[in-house]
Structure formats: structure tokens, C-alpha cells
Amino acid sequence: MRELSPDNKVCLALGYFDSVHVGHRSIIAAADSYAKSHGLFSAVATFSNNAYKLFNRDEKCVYTYTERLSLLDGLCDFVLPMRFDARMKNSSAEDFLNWLFSRYDIKAVVVGYDYLFGAGAKGDAELLKKYCGERGVECIVHDKIEIDGTRVSTTVIKTLLASGDVESAEKYLGAPFMLTGKIVHGRGAGRMFDIPTANIKIPLDKLLPKSGVYGAECVIDDERYFGAVNVGGRPTFDLSKTVVEMMIKDFDDNVYDKNICVYFRKFLRPVKKFDTPAQLSKQVREDICWSEK
């Protein structure tokens, strides 16, 4: 995904876009459509770090910055990464806009109706429209998006993921919830049962769904496979530390140090302690065949 250059004339979608949900996608699509019809490039501004930490909120991101770049690829021409630090947090709404417009060649802006910015969140869509109007810049304020009467928001998605309801979360996200990471060496238990297992190193700021076993798909080296992913401890082996393990169906390759993308499709069962490893092996073999049922 290419970073925005000061030389590019753009229609800019402004927001955090931390979950790239269907509401975010609608805003981005509006920016891209406007750009194409006015001879501009489209760009999406998003924070490159976990902005919640600056507000002393112990919150994780639905999607990391790297994951957002992957999701935004094809939705817009450029991304504008912004690091949310103390200076940005304490900048007034007008100072933030002055910095943004002096640095980039912005011809139009698209935001959601509830967009807030600047110190104390005192800047809103109306202030932005006034600011843009004074500079001859088009400002498009996008209406809210609802699904089944519920406003689409990152908060709703986080609540669904916390309950393990990845199927409902998919409706709001517009795509299956996913995570990416590097495959690292684990305990080798999967191989012991002749079940290929990818132990995934997850960034600290990445939000994980409720502990459990999920029907999933994964992509390794551009190839897609079915299987099941375990999020949580491994009580059968008396291990309580939360890990993410993808058990892969019909796979037999050395994947250590490779990148993997896991798509969560369905909650299968809670994590549980089995009396013997053999019983666990039998259950995992059923879990990885979830797509055939």
C-alpha cells in the first residue's frame, strides 16, 4: 500500500478506521468515487499506532496498522499514516487541520457524521465543513450506516468478538474477522497427533476474540486452507497462557517463520480440558472438518 505524498492531489477520507467495517468502507468508497470523478487520487488517513493508549485506555485494536494496510489495498490509492502522540492529542482542532492542509494537497475530504478530532474532541463535522468551505475544499459528511437497526461501530464489533460471535461480527465488518502473524515454534503437540499446527505470534495490541475453538480458513504463501483455530490456553497440558494455534486440514509443509492470515468463520466450542491427549486429538480431527458438516 503506497503512502500519500505531498505532491498528490487527493480526496481524503479522515478517521481512525481501526476496524475497516462496512461504515468505514462506505466512507472510503465515497472518497474513491469522488476522486475518480474529479481527476484526483483517493487517500485514507489512519493512525499507525494504538491511539487508545494515549487516553490511558487498555484497549486493543480490532486490526493492527499492518492489517489495515492489507484491507485498504484496492479500496483507495494511498494511505496517510498518522502517529497519534502527545502533540497530536493536545493540538486544537484548527491546529490539526492547519498541519494537515499545509502538508498535503487536499482538494476534498470525506468523513463520517460522527467524526471528532482535536484536543478534547472539540472538532466535529460541522467545524470541518466550515474550515473546508473557507478554503474552497469540498467536504462530504457521510450518514450513519445501520444493520438490523443497529449503528455499525467498532464498539459493537468488539462486543461481538468478546462474546465469540464471529459470524455476526462478519456482517458488520463486511468480511470475516482476521488476524495475521508469523508462525513460530510451539510445543509440537499438533505434530505429535499428526495434525499440522501453526503457532502464531500475535502483536500485543491485537484484539483477540473470546477464548474458544473456531472454524477457520488460513492463507499461507497465497494458498488457502481450512482448519480450526484455538484461542486460549491448553488445559489438557495444564497450560493457561493464551496462545493462538491454527490446526490445518490436508496440509503437510514446513511453515515456520512464514506469515499466516487466519479468517474466523464460526465458533465451534469452548476450550476444555480432556482426560487424555488422545481424546483431544479425536476432537481436533472433528474440529478441522467443520466446513464439511
Side-chain angles (χ1 to χ4, degrees):
M1 192 74 215
R2 297 177 296 171
E3 287 191 12
L4 181 62
S5 161
D7 299 327
N8 302 127
K9 298 181 188 299
V10 295
C11 175
L12 179 66
L14 266 176
Y16 191 165
F17 302 115
D18 46 343
S19 61
V20 197
H21 57 54
V22 295
H24 294 153
R25 289 168 185 259
S26 185
I27 292 169
I28 295 165
D32 192 57
S33 176
Y34 184 94
K36 282 181 168 54
S37 64
H38 290 78
L40 306 172
F41 292 104
S42 60
V44 173
T46 186
F47 294 128
S48 59
N49 61 323
N50 185 347
Y52 300 117
K53 288 185 175 180
L54 270 293
F55 296 98
N56 296 316
R57 288 163 58 184
D58 187 23
E59 253 185 271
K60 299 190 176 185
C61 302
V62 174
Y63 289 130
T64 64
Y65 175 64
T66 299
E67 289 169 340
R68 268 176 270 145
L69 289 184
S70 174
L71 291 167
L72 291 171
D73 192 19
L75 300 181
C76 59
D77 297 312
F78 296 99
V79 65
L80 195 173
M82 296 189 296
R83 182 163 186 82
F84 192 80
D85 54 18
R87 177 180 291 184
M88 182 174 286
K89 177 187 176 185
N90 295 320
S91 292
S92 69
E94 186 160 299
D95 283 346
F96 168 70
L97 293 176
N98 287 339
W99 169 82
L100 188 64
F101 278 74
S102 66
R103 188 176 179 88
Y104 298 100
D105 194 358
I106 302 168
K107 302 300 184 184
V109 176
V110 183
V111 295
Y113 75 100
D114 56 351
Y115 178 62
L116 298 173
F117 62 99
K122 291 183 178 178
D124 58 12
E126 285 305 311
L127 187 153
L128 179 61
K129 282 179 71 174
K130 182 175 183 295
Y131 184 95
C132 288
E134 292 169 351
R135 288 155 181 78
V137 173
E138 182 74 20
C139 181
I140 301 166
V141 179
H142 206 278
D143 290 335
K144 68 178 177 180
I145 302 292
E146 294 184 345
I147 293 179
D148 299 330
T150 298
R151 182 176 70 90
V152 176
S153 71
T154 297
T155 299
V156 169
I157 291 164
K158 286 184 174 182
T159 300
L160 292 169
L161 293 175
S163 70
D165 190 356
V166 294
E167 291 179 87
S168 292
E170 181 174 338
K171 289 196 306 182
Y172 289 86
L173 287 168
F177 171 70
M178 63 91 167
L179 61 79
T180 60
K182 187 174 285 292
I183 300 171
V184 296
H185 286 273
R187 296 180 61 255
R191 282 292 180 188
M192 182 172 67
F193 301 137
D194 197 28
I195 301 170
T197 302
N199 296 273
I200 308 168
K201 184 178 181 181
I202 304 297
L204 293 176
D205 286 332
K206 172 67 177 180
L207 179 74
L208 294 177
K210 173 186 173 181
S211 291
V213 179
Y214 296 83
E217 299 171 63
C218 68
V219 175
I220 305 171
D221 288 339
D222 296 322
E223 294 291 333
R224 187 175 291 261
Y225 305 93
F226 284 93
V229 60
N230 179 87
V231 177
R234 291 160 288 184
T236 302
F237 302 102
D238 295 322
L239 298 171
S240 59
K241 180 183 176 182
T242 295
V243 296
V244 179
E245 298 176 306
M246 178 76 193
M247 285 73 71
I248 310 171
K249 183 176 179 291
D250 300 329
F251 183 82
D252 189 19
D253 256 334
N254 181 3
V255 292
Y256 293 122
D257 292 326
K258 290 190 175 183
N259 294 318
I260 185 173
C261 184
V262 178
Y263 298 90
F264 290 68
R265 304 306 306 270
K266 181 179 183 180
F267 182 83
L268 299 179
R269 61 178 176 85
V271 172
K272 62 172 286 188
K273 182 181 177 73
F274 289 85
D275 292 335
T276 65
Q279 289 179 353
L280 170 60
S281 174
K282 182 174 182 293
Q283 180 61 59
V284 169
R285 291 178 188 281
E286 291 181 18
D287 294 337
I288 64 176
C289 294
W290 65 273
S291 63
E292 299 173 4
K293 297 176 181 176

